[in-house]
Amino acid sequence: MKIINIFEHGFLPVGENGFTENHFNLLEKYIEGQKLKKQKTNLFESSREKGKNGIRFKQYVGVVVVKDLTIYVLPKADKEKEGANEDLWRNRLTYMLSQVYKLNVQTTAPTNLQWRPNVLLNIFLKKFLEEVAVLLNRGLIKTYQKTEGNRNALKGKLMFNKQMVVNCAHQERFYVRYTTYDYNHILNRIIRQALLAIQDITNSSDIKGRATSMLFNFPELEEIPVIPELFSRLVYDRKSEDYRNAVKLAEMILLNYSPDLHHGSNHVWTMMFDMNKLWEEFIFISLRRQLNESDVTAQSSRFLWRSDNNKKAIKADIIIKKKQNNEEKTFVMDTKWKMPRYDGKIVPSDGDLHQMYVYLHEYGDVNKVALLYPDPGEGENIYGFFENDNKSCDMIFLPCKVFENNNSTNESQCWQKEIVSRVEVWLNN
């Protein structure tokens, strides 16, 4: 399988790096299919630039599999700089996903950043198979299902009205409603369908073999139409709670797979993540796990404006409450996956400034607010740009680059600790 690397917001033209007209047409059909499914997000779009058809990617990063081609869409902190380090950003993306989605990913040393083919694609599939293996070891759940239909023997309750209509010429048959106790539960059906989809998604013989082996342990189950509403309606109880992680991964596999395009090997599958959201969740998880003496919460909403029929709310990304000098202090932060540049200078946008000003005055007794940006590798780590009445509003630049003179075999963990360290410096100043 051929592999192409491209950065977010990049343009991939037909005829370059093995991206053919056939690949382009399949992705165009995929885009139209997503519109018909009324998907809220547009992962990428077809475009014509510099006289060539191609795909313009957006703020979503991850993997696109189309026919015999795998496209890795990588993050990039400073989009104005050329010659970005692909190995670095693949490492960063993989580690962020591993932390947010609790995946077991081996990190590499900074002196030997290596990228095995399809590693980002396969770590999710392996995680899914691990969750399914746990379910099979414990035993798949059975539930009572109500079934209605024609049978050659009387079983359950005879439906007289339908019996007269359906079997008026076949008195030897019975139209009945009865209850069965079997594996045809919606959660089992979802997982089995995801196992079938894996056969088309990856070229890893190991993953295909494990998925095929697991399918032998599943009975024949009815297929189910895969739509977003299916997963929003799922309800878990004490008996099915163990399925939650596996079904969440199955949702990612099935909603991003296009079996309607599957003729031979012409399938399309995506595993894409909004980089803005991923950065926010990664920073929140890092702070919550490592700021032991602080209360770290996320996505706290406050109503800012109301009328008879409408209301407007503000929502801070991260709120930290910390005791300092026997006094509890409150810090509000908002993450931004962009470079605050204007006319070549590092300057926050007016919208970001207005947002921070509102947080400073609407979230109760707030001591400090800050915008968290990826570090462009220039100048200081923290820029203070407003201070009044012992309250401040700051910009904090969090590192993304590989550290020099660091021989640790777990460089990604050191990177994460450095992120937390910069925030701690700001909290304690």
Side-chain angles (χ1 to χ4, degrees), residues 402-417:
V402 176
F403 305 117
E404 296 179 2
N405 302 321
N406 183 359
N407 296 320
S408 170
T409 58
N410 211 337
E411 186 269 343
S412 291
Q413 288 186 4
C414 294
W415 166 57
Q416 189 176 32
K417 288 178 181 178

Side-chain angles (χ1 to χ4, degrees), residues 8-67:
E8 57 179 318
H9 301 286
F11 177 68
L12 180 60
V14 171
E16 292 189 14
N17 300 320
F19 184 63
T20 66
E21 191 74 33
N22 190 15
H23 296 135
F24 174 74
N25 292 335
L26 287 171
L27 288 179
E28 273 201 320
K29 291 179 182 177
Y30 176 83
I31 293 169
E32 291 302 316
Q34 295 300 95
K35 290 179 180 178
L36 292 175
K37 292 178 183 178
K38 297 181 179 179
Q39 294 280 50
K40 295 180 181 179
T41 55
N42 244 343
L43 304 176
F44 42 79
E45 60 187 6
S46 60
S47 178
R48 185 169 181 83
E49 301 178 18
K50 297 180 180 179
K52 290 186 177 182
N53 288 330
I55 297 296
R56 168 65 67 179
F57 293 91
K58 299 187 177 182
Q59 77 273 18
Y60 295 90
V61 297
V63 183
V64 179
V65 178
V66 50
K67 200 178 179 182

Side-chain angles (χ1 to χ4, degrees), residues 292-308:
N292 299 321
E293 298 180 359
S294 303
D295 180 22
V296 183
T297 57
Q299 292 288 316
S300 176
S301 298
R302 299 283 178 92
F303 285 113
L304 181 64
W305 178 84
R306 299 180 192 230
S307 69
D308 293 338

Side-chain angles (χ1 to χ4, degrees), residues 59 67 116 131 134 141-142 167 202 209 285 294 312 321 341 372 408 411 418 424-425:
Q59 77 273 18
K67 200 178 179 182
R116 297 187 304 274
E131 294 288 344
V134 171
I141 60 174
K142 285 185 175 182
N167 291 328
T202 181
I285 287 172
S294 303
K312 293 287 186 180
K321 293 185 181 293
R341 289 183 179 276
L372 306 183
S408 170
E411 186 269 343
E418 179 63 20
E424 276 189 305
V425 169

